[in-house]
Structures are given as C-alpha cells and as structure tokens.
C-alpha cells in the first residue's frame, strides 16, 4: 500500500468518524480527537492488511489502537470513553461482509453466505476483543479507591466492608 493511498484511507476514516461524532452529539471540542482516533485505528488495520495479515487480526489491532487512544484521551480530557471509542470504531464495522451475506442468501448461495456471515462475525468479535484488550492495558495497575467507588460493584463491596450504605 502506498503512502498516498494510506493517507487517503486515513482521511476518509477521519471524515466517517467525524460524521458519526456529530451524529452522536459529541462536544465540538472533542471532534478532532474522535476523528484522529478513528483514522489511526483504520490506518493501522489497512497497513497490516497490506502486509499480508488477515482481516480479523488487522481489525483486532485497529480496534485496540482506537481503544488505547480513546481511553487515554478520555482520561486526559475527563470525558466518557464511549465518546472516543464508539465513534472511532465505526470505520471498522464489517458492513460490506454483512451486505454480501444478505446478497448471497438472497441468491440461494448458502455456503458462500455462511462463509461471509462467519467472516463478519469474526470481524465484529475482533472489534470487541480489541476494545476490551485496550481497556485492560490502560486500567492495568489501577487500584480500587474505596473512598470514592466508581461503579456499582465497588459500591456493593464498600457496603459489605462497612456494613452500611454510603450516601452520595
């Protein structure tokens, strides 16, 4: 893949991410960061595919890049991480394999339809696993702060330790 083609792919991924960020009412000061997250993830995916890595593994790495950028920027800007990860992952959603699946099924080509269905499912799974992996890498080493519990699970743990509910 040439550098120009990679930059073009990154540009269109940036535009797609930006469009979905606007659609999801992301704060305007975060639009650029969302676009960069989506472009970086998509460009990593394309570079790996150009070097012979299969689409599922490439999508996993691209989703992990989006997750790493999204989680770190969410902490830096004190914003919800979903702003960056959901919009950034949109360019990697397997829309073409899903569409091909429907076309093959409509043409009664069941075996090819099942093949594309499995490929679309694996790509979707790679997106999920990539985001989870990024979350684990970013939160590795965090300690639970029982003074200010963040989630319901931690609040219930606080109640078990103290014997009463904490009032927020």
């Amino acid at each position: 893949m040439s550098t120009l083609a990679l930059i073009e792919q990154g540009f269109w991924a940036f535009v797609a991410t930006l469009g979905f960020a606007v659609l999801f009412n992301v704060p305007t000061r975060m639009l650029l960061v969302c676009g960069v997250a989506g472009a970086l993830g998509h460009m990593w995916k394309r570079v790996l595919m150009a070097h012979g890595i299969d689409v599922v593994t490439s999508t996993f790495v691209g989703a992990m890049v989006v997750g790493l950028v999204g989680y770190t920027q969410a902490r830096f800007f004190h914003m919800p991480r979903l702003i960056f990860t959901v919009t950034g992952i949109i360019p990697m959603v397997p829309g073409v394999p899903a569409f091909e699946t429907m076309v093959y099924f409509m043409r009664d080509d069941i075996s090819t339809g099942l093949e594309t269905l499995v490929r679309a499912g694996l790509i979707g799974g790679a997106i999920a696993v990539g985001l989870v992996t990024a979350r684990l890498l970013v939160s590795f080493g965090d300690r639970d702060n029982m003074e200010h519990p963040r989630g319901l699970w931690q609040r219930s743990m606080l109640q078990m330790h103290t014997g009463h509910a904490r009032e927020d």
Side-chain angles (χ1 to χ4, degrees), residues 5 58 70 100:
S58 300
E100 287 175 344

Side-chain angles (χ1 to χ4, degrees), residues 24 73 79 89 102 115 126 128 147:
F24 294 152
Q73 295 308 303
M79 301 292 283
I89 216 71
M102 299 307 292
E115 181 182 329
E147 296 286 322

Side-chain angles (χ1 to χ4, degrees), residues 18-119:
L18 205 63
F20 276 96
V22 169
L23 184 69
F24 294 152
N25 291 323
V26 170
T28 39
R29 64 188 178 98
M30 295 293 113
L31 290 176
L32 183 64
V33 179
C34 290
V36 169
L40 284 175
H42 186 73
M43 289 168 70
W44 268 93
K45 174 185 171 183
R46 288 297 182 177
V47 165
L48 290 175
M49 287 174 61
H51 283 63
I53 308 295
D54 66 299
V55 67
V56 176
T57 307
S58 300
T59 302
F60 165 76
V61 173
M64 194 170 63
V65 168
V66 169
L68 289 172
V69 171
Y71 291 132
T72 56
Q73 295 308 303
R75 284 185 176 185
F76 182 76
F77 289 111
H78 303 289
M79 301 292 283
R81 69 181 186 277
L82 292 175
I83 288 175
F84 306 104
T85 56
V86 169
T87 57
I89 216 71
I90 295 291
M92 285 188 272
V93 171
V96 171
F99 178 74
E100 287 175 344
T101 299
M102 299 307 292
V103 169
Y104 288 128
F105 283 151
M106 293 298 290
R107 293 181 181 167
D108 288 331
D109 189 359
I110 304 300
S111 62
T112 310
L114 286 174
E115 181 182 329
T116 57
L117 177 66
V118 169
R119 186 172 11 131

